[in-house]
Amino acid sequence: MERELFALLQLGLQITDASSIDISEFASLSKEEWTTIKEMAVKQGVSAIVLDGVNQLSLSGYNMSAEMKLEWIGEALQIELRNRQQMAVMEEMAGKWKEKGLRVMIMKGQANGTMYPKPEHRSPGDIDCYLFNDKANDNKEAYKFGNVIARSAGAKVDESWYKHSVISYKGETFENHQYFVHTRDGKRGKWLEKELENALNVEKTACAPLTQSTVVPPVQWTAMFLTYHACAHFISEGLRLKQIVDWAMFLKVHQNVVEWGDFYAFCERNHLRMFADAMTAIAVNYLGINISNSEVFPESSYADKIMQSALYDEDYVFGSGKGNWYNRFHLIRNFKFRK
């Protein structure tokens, strides 16, 4: 069912249209096979997007039951509702921070959604934010002040972890980041954090509006952070199509804006180059992204292994025993030490 899943994703993401693919293969799918596709889409965090692809097919004569279609539509409507609710609460809290002189940068989640043809169909998670003041290079005081403001607004604020606080407000969870990466993992983490902070300080003026009170990160910074974040997911939790599609959409929208020489130099310094190449190759080979910029490298011998891991690995780095996460860890070690 992989081929059908990726074809529907390409349709749902408007990478291609129904006239460009052989849709006859969908006519022969059984009810059980449609169920498998739907279950894979839900597990991978792309259910509403795959449904967008389904809606581009003429379903007369197809073996998807009416009950399944209605259930799928209901789940997509719930995703839309969750996104609307999240955006409203996010803007309310961000407005309180903005009133006190803080800028609110939204990372991942709703920021990545802006690159999608239907942002409301990207499955939402927590709200990741970074607070800063244009006049200061050290934004740690903004982080602390943001926690104080949230608490005064009636939010529950947990500051027990060094990387970010957890703010619970009106049914939504904010992760207010003090750091972008795990800085206590050694010198490499501290170096990567410094690179990301310096890059943001240089590019603050390039933050584009998301809502009245929030902004999205600069494009160049986003390329750097998405690559690190996806790699961290791959090692600790395993990737899902949700993270892979984020990178694919980034390439589709921003490939001609990124300074690729600077990006690849960043990846080389931080042992991320081979992972970045693999993610781009997956976007091209599985999701049909067209690379028109000759500076982008679209090939990797690791792409298939990473894609299979994303589809079928179930374990976590913090689980017991040496499961597939152990294999993922050693694959990344090969990235780091292979010349």
Side-chain angles (χ1 to χ4, degrees):
M1 297 295 97
E2 292 177 21
R3 185 175 67 252
E4 291 81 5
L5 176 67
F6 291 124
L8 291 170
L9 266 176
Q10 290 182 36
L11 289 171
L13 293 167
Q14 298 180 19
I15 295 169
T16 188
D17 57 45
S19 65
S20 302
I21 65 172
D22 180 9
I23 63 173
S24 63
E25 61 188 85
F26 294 98
S28 61
L29 294 177
S30 65
K31 292 181 180 180
E32 292 75 18
E33 288 171 325
W34 276 113
T35 299
T36 298
I37 290 172
K38 180 177 180 295
E39 289 174 347
M40 290 178 71
V42 170
K43 175 185 173 183
Q44 295 293 328
V46 293
S47 176
I49 300 167
V50 172
L51 179 62
D52 289 334
V54 171
N55 287 336
Q56 293 192 43
L57 303 174
S58 172
L59 286 180
S60 58
Y62 289 71
N63 292 317
M64 182 188 296
S65 67
E67 292 80 8
M68 174 183 288
K69 185 70 180 295
L70 288 173
E71 179 185 79
W72 208 337
I73 292 171
E75 291 169 357
L77 291 173
Q78 285 298 310
I79 291 172
E80 292 180 8
L81 178 61
R82 281 282 296 114
N83 274 309
R84 287 196 298 271
Q85 291 174 336
Q86 188 173 85
M87 289 290 284
V89 175
M90 179 187 77
E91 176 62 16
E92 182 177 334
M93 177 58 73
K96 300 179 187 300
W97 284 326
K98 185 180 179 181
E99 287 174 2
K100 299 297 184 180
L102 299 178
R103 294 190 72 189
V104 184
M105 185 178 82
I106 302 300
M107 310 183 298
K108 301 184 285 187
Q110 299 293 352
N112 291 344
T114 63
M115 301 180 289
Y116 284 60
K118 290 186 177 181
E120 68 275 15
H121 281 185
R122 184 187 183 277
S123 295
D126 296 334
I127 302 168
D128 289 83
C129 60
Y130 185 74
L131 309 181
F132 60 92
N133 185 318
D134 283 331
K135 298 178 181 179
N137 285 328
D138 186 353
N139 298 307
K140 301 302 180 284
E141 290 303 316
Y143 158 81
K144 295 174 184 177
F145 191 29
N147 290 334
V148 171
I149 295 169
R151 194 174 281 114
S152 68
K156 180 181 178 182
V157 181
D158 181 356
E159 300 176 75
S160 60
W161 197 34
Y162 77 96
K163 186 184 176 188
H164 61 71
S165 62
V166 178
I167 299 172
S168 301
Y169 183 68
K170 295 192 175 182
E172 296 295 340
T173 300
F174 293 74
E175 292 185 353
N176 177 25
H177 283 255
Q178 179 171 212
Y179 300 102
F180 299 118
V181 307
H182 298 280
T183 58
R184 295 182 182 176
D185 286 351
K187 292 182 179 179
R188 186 169 292 160
K190 291 181 174 65
W191 173 261
L192 178 56
E193 174 69 25
K194 195 65 176 177
E195 282 220 54
L196 289 170
E197 289 183 5
N198 288 343
L200 183 60
N201 286 332
V202 169
E203 291 195 285
K204 280 180 182 176
T205 56
C207 291
L210 175 60
T211 66
Q212 184 175 352
S213 302
T214 65
V215 297
V216 296
V219 171
Q220 190 74 21
W221 189 92
T222 298
M224 298 159 65
F225 182 74
L226 280 181
T227 302
Y228 154 74
H229 179 67
C231 187
H233 256 281
F234 178 67
I235 297 173
S236 62
E237 303 175 45
L239 276 179
R240 291 295 178 260
L241 282 177
K242 181 178 176 180
Q243 289 89 30
I244 293 171
V245 170
D246 281 345
W247 182 247
M249 288 294 95
F250 179 84
L251 291 171
K252 183 174 185 284
V253 175
H254 295 305
Q255 65 175 276
N256 291 318
V257 181
V258 175
E259 294 289 342
W260 288 102
D262 292 344
F263 169 74
Y264 287 134
F266 162 81
C267 290
E268 293 285 0
R269 288 192 299 272
N270 293 282
H271 307 286
L272 293 168
R273 176 59 194 266
M274 289 188 178
F275 183 80
D277 289 345
M279 288 287 284
T280 299
I282 290 171
V284 172
N285 297 335
Y286 289 86
L287 294 172
I289 293 296
N290 177 51
I291 301 297
S292 59
N293 189 326
S294 61
E295 294 183 359
V296 181
F297 190 75
E299 299 176 4
S300 171
S301 60
Y302 292 101
D304 292 341
K305 290 182 180 179
I306 291 177
M307 188 71 259
Q308 290 303 303
S309 170
L311 290 174
Y312 300 113
D313 281 4
E314 299 284 355
D315 57 341
Y316 295 82
V317 69
F318 300 112
S320 60
K322 293 182 179 179
N324 287 329
W325 74 264
Y326 191 72
N327 296 328
R328 295 194 298 269
F329 173 75
H330 280 280
L331 184 60
I332 292 297
R333 288 190 77 238
N334 287 338
F335 288 174
K336 290 178 179 178
F337 297 114
R338 180 175 171 180
K339 298 298 183 183

